[in-house]
Amino acid sequence: MTLQYNTTLMASSEDSENRAPELNRRRLLAGLAASGVAATAGCFGGDQEEADPDDARDEEQVETTDIVEGGRLNFALPVGSIGQYDQAQSGSAADAVAFNTVYDGLRVTTPQGESLNWMANSFEVTDAQDVSASAADASNNDYTDYMAEYEITGVTEGIATFDLGENNLVISRHPDDVSAVGNGDLTEGDMMRLLTREEAGAAVDGGTYGTKIEASVHEGITFNNGEELTSENIVRSYDRFVGGTLEGQQFDSFLHARSTGDYSVEMYSLEPDATASVSIIPFTIFPSEHIDVEPGELDPRGGGPTPVGTGPYEVEEFEEGNQLLLTRTDNYWLEDVGLENKEWWNGSEDFPAGPVIDEINIRFQSNQGQRTAALKDGSVDVAYGLSPADQTTFQQSDQFSDYRVSAADATGYNFMQIPIEGDGPLSNQGVRQAIQSVIPRKQIVDTVEDGWASPARLPFPVPSAGPAIEGDYEEVAQNADWAYPVEPQTDEVNSLVNDSGVETPLSVTIDTNSGNASRQQKNQLITGEMNETDVFEDCEVNLPADLTTWFRQTLIQESATADYMDRNATAMLGLTAGFDPDSYARGIHHPDSYNGCCNFFHPPGTFEFTDSIDEARFGLDAITDVSARQEAYQDVWPEISEAVGNTIIDYSLNVAVAGPPIQGYNAYPDPRALLTYSLYAPYGSDGEGLIAFIDREGESGSGDGN
């Protein structure tokens, strides 16, 4: 399965639970009295050594001669049950953890963000054209000649709807007709000009498309029902996403896909797009017998079919709310293709051509304490989404010295968005820069996350650094004058505000969602630090509502910018994004995201650098040359940091704990790969290979570990 290119609001910073993290008592006593954050003891009680995330980041590479084949891995999933078996319908990361073992994708991504061929034998962006699908200007929409007329079946909030038939959807609308619907000149029963999937092929035939990708898959890859994977499976798999939960993500940049041979395909984006190699390939590839199954019905719990893919595991049995048993397939395609035929392979000849663990027994344990207890008593072998204090205990306590805590720099982050447009103090750049400089990022990470996160130093995380900058991330973070400070710069804060000409002292409110204790505590640290300066006073944290209510009723409303400026208020939220740097620039700054996720306060015209953001993603040079993309971003990041419409607080770590029998288990930046990359990644460690196995000290390989 391909990891989707998307940006998603985080309800909490670890998993679906709104946890109240157990804060390090010594750090709290040393640094939190002024901010009023309550201190609590660790789950196991008592003081202990500090966490060592750097040690946890080190990947464990086992010797092939030590590998033990077989066994059952008991894996704790932090939910009460699978939400959707049908991966054309599921947006759940927890669902993907399980079913990514069933569905392999065309490509894989290393922890450093590099995409490599997996089932794909070849994959190349072969063309990019300066083509536009503008919805605002007909003279700037290159697809109007290919559009057909469709009857409007309804109009909702100025948007026309249609009955397009099976597997069809709108790709582009004629700008003149969009305006006509908006002002009421076109309504239900009238005809509107559209480019749908039906007309997209003609546009490609006419040479109109943004990006062209040519790819092929290895011959002989079979689904676990025995069907051979061909190009038709790839092309028709798009059909399953029409009308489903993931339709918007799958077709956001997509124009057309076609078979050019038994094992070769061409895929096209609507406009030139540097993210096309991730965003337009099918997220999941299905066997022929499942192509026509309606979204959501590929679920054995309701009498539907059982998911079948080309991955190394198959669904063996399930018990709702209790467990899901996956078994290793007998005909994994990589055994026939051979690692030696993958261009990135640098490992030894005796490295296995597939995972060696026979069974994965997924246990549903939504309660954080339950997962910790199960790790302690050995009833589960691997768990993630533990409290920071428990992660530290498993790493540092002598009692758990045989346990492995593995961490990977991840793509989740907390950020503060600050309104700019208006007449209040926050419209002053110096005031916003002062807020950015007062944030105690390191203290936030050390205290609230017990070290299990990274204080933000750049406007993008480590995994997205490849296309984002030239040079080493650490070096840029240490030397760039636009990098975020991780310690409060009190003198600079006082000077910035005093020089701004605004009346002092200033009182600022930070809004965040209720039900998220860790985010509230982080904000208390920020406001506490602000109140210690000469220029801020009575700064406070406000909890307007739970995340969904706050988002829908306040943040995405047109009045949000003025309301927050009038209140002298900012908003702190959490997001999960992908490996591409565009997520961090566009998602929270660009007018494309305005009144949606997640640009709430910055209407069109707020920033001068939005064209540079576009150039870094849609520019023809950026698509074909990563160095050109890096150069485009060189102008973006300093301007983002200096404007301070947003400032990032911290980046998450994905942390998993493996019990004593598990050898070679490594975490990954995206939690959806904690049973794929973490168990078998021959492309890991620079192509030398990473693999996990079970060694229960002489126990039967078929034992369940209990």
Side-chain angles (χ1 to χ4, degrees), residues 549-616:
T549 303
W550 182 36
F551 177 79
R552 291 177 177 174
Q553 296 185 4
T554 302
L555 292 176
I556 63 173
Q557 299 302 313
E558 189 69 35
S559 60
T561 303
D563 289 346
Y564 272 76
M565 180 62 74
D566 291 344
R567 291 174 48 224
N568 222 27
T570 71
M572 181 176 174
L573 301 96
L575 288 177
T576 57
F579 286 91
D580 196 272
D582 183 70
S583 302
Y584 306 90
R586 181 174 306 277
I588 56 180
H589 297 93
H590 200 281
D592 285 354
S593 307
Y594 183 55
N595 288 154
C597 186
C598 289
N599 172 9
F600 311 114
F601 303 152
H602 309 311
T606 301
F607 301 117
E608 296 181 358
F609 53 79
T610 53
D611 286 345
S612 297
I613 293 176
D614 288 340
E615 183 64 25

Side-chain angles (χ1 to χ4, degrees), residues 159-209:
I159 305 297
T161 57
F162 310 88
D163 183 4
L164 298 178
E166 187 177 19
N167 298 329
N168 199 11
L169 53 77
V170 176
I171 292 176
S172 182
R173 301 169 187 244
H174 197 290
D176 293 345
D177 292 356
V178 171
S179 298
V181 171
N183 61 33
D185 290 341
L186 289 178
T187 188
E188 183 177 347
D190 293 329
M191 306 300 287
M192 184 173 180
R193 290 166 288 181
L194 306 173
L195 182 80
T196 74
R197 292 186 72 198
E198 292 292 331
E199 294 80 38
V204 170
D205 290 340
T208 303
Y209 54 82

Side-chain angles (χ1 to χ4, degrees), residues 382-398:
V382 178
Y384 70 101
L386 307 184
S387 73
D390 287 352
Q391 290 166 178
T392 300
T393 298
F394 277 117
Q395 185 191 53
Q396 297 295 338
S397 173
D398 291 341

Side-chain angles (χ1 to χ4, degrees), residues 215-390:
S216 66
V217 294
H218 291 283
E219 296 185 29
I221 296 177
T222 57
F223 290 93
N224 294 328
N225 63 0
E227 178 190 357
E228 185 182 19
L229 170 69
T230 69
S231 57
E232 282 301 313
N233 296 107
I234 298 171
V235 172
R236 292 219 55 209
S237 286
Y238 290 99
D239 294 348
R240 293 222 61 241
F241 292 92
V242 177
T245 303
L246 300 179
E247 177 186 289
Q249 294 177 27
Q250 180 68 85
F251 294 103
D252 179 52
S253 302
F254 177 84
L255 174 63
H256 182 64
R258 59 178 48 167
S259 171
T260 56
D262 289 344
Y263 306 101
S264 58
V265 294
E266 292 175 352
M267 296 169 282
Y268 299 86
S269 68
L270 185 65
E271 297 180 307
D273 192 344
T275 74
S277 60
V278 173
S279 62
I280 70 170
I281 64 178
F283 295 156
T284 308
I285 300 174
F286 298 95
S288 298
E289 65 184 57
H290 292 166
I291 293 296
D292 294 323
V293 177
E294 291 295 319
E297 295 185 6
L298 187 59
D299 192 333
R301 296 173 299 183
T306 298
V308 172
T310 58
Y313 289 91
E314 306 176 42
V315 176
E316 181 70 21
E317 60 185 58
F318 61 91
E319 184 179 345
E320 180 68 8
N322 186 27
Q323 68 174 14
L324 169 68
L325 183 63
L326 306 167
T327 59
R328 185 166 53 149
T329 184
D330 293 329
N331 59 336
Y332 191 43
W333 61 269
L334 191 55
E335 297 171 1
D336 295 325
V337 169
L339 284 170
E340 68 276 7
N341 291 312
K342 303 306 297 182
E343 67 277 6
W344 40 259
W345 175 242
N346 292 314
S348 63
E349 293 181 357
D350 56 349
F351 194 89
V356 296
I357 294 173
D358 280 342
E359 297 177 331
I360 303 173
N361 185 32
I362 293 178
R363 304 283 185 83
F364 301 113
Q365 296 180 333
S366 59
N367 181 272
Q368 192 179 88
Q370 183 185 20
R371 297 195 296 279
T372 298
L375 273 170
K376 289 175 62 182
D377 67 25
S379 57
V380 301
D381 298 309
V382 178
Y384 70 101
L386 307 184
S387 73
D390 287 352

Side-chain angles (χ1 to χ4, degrees), residues 498-568:
N498 286 328
D499 291 346
S500 70
V502 303
E503 184 177 349
T504 60
L506 290 172
S507 177
V508 174
T509 298
I510 305 176
D511 281 4
T512 196
N513 55 294
S514 62
N516 188 298
S518 65
R519 201 165 292 143
Q520 295 164 30
Q521 291 159 352
K522 292 175 183 183
N523 281 323
Q524 288 172 334
L525 285 169
I526 295 171
T527 55
E529 198 68 46
M530 294 174 75
N531 290 332
E532 289 295 306
T533 69
D534 297 336
V535 293
F536 292 104
E537 73 173 11
D538 297 330
C539 298
E540 61 181 4
V541 180
N542 180 52
L543 310 177
D546 64 85
L547 181 64
T548 301
T549 303
W550 182 36
F551 177 79
R552 291 177 177 174
Q553 296 185 4
T554 302
L555 292 176
I556 63 173
Q557 299 302 313
E558 189 69 35
S559 60
T561 303
D563 289 346
Y564 272 76
M565 180 62 74
D566 291 344
R567 291 174 48 224
N568 222 27

Side-chain angles (χ1 to χ4, degrees), residues 153 189 214:
T153 58
E214 297 183 63

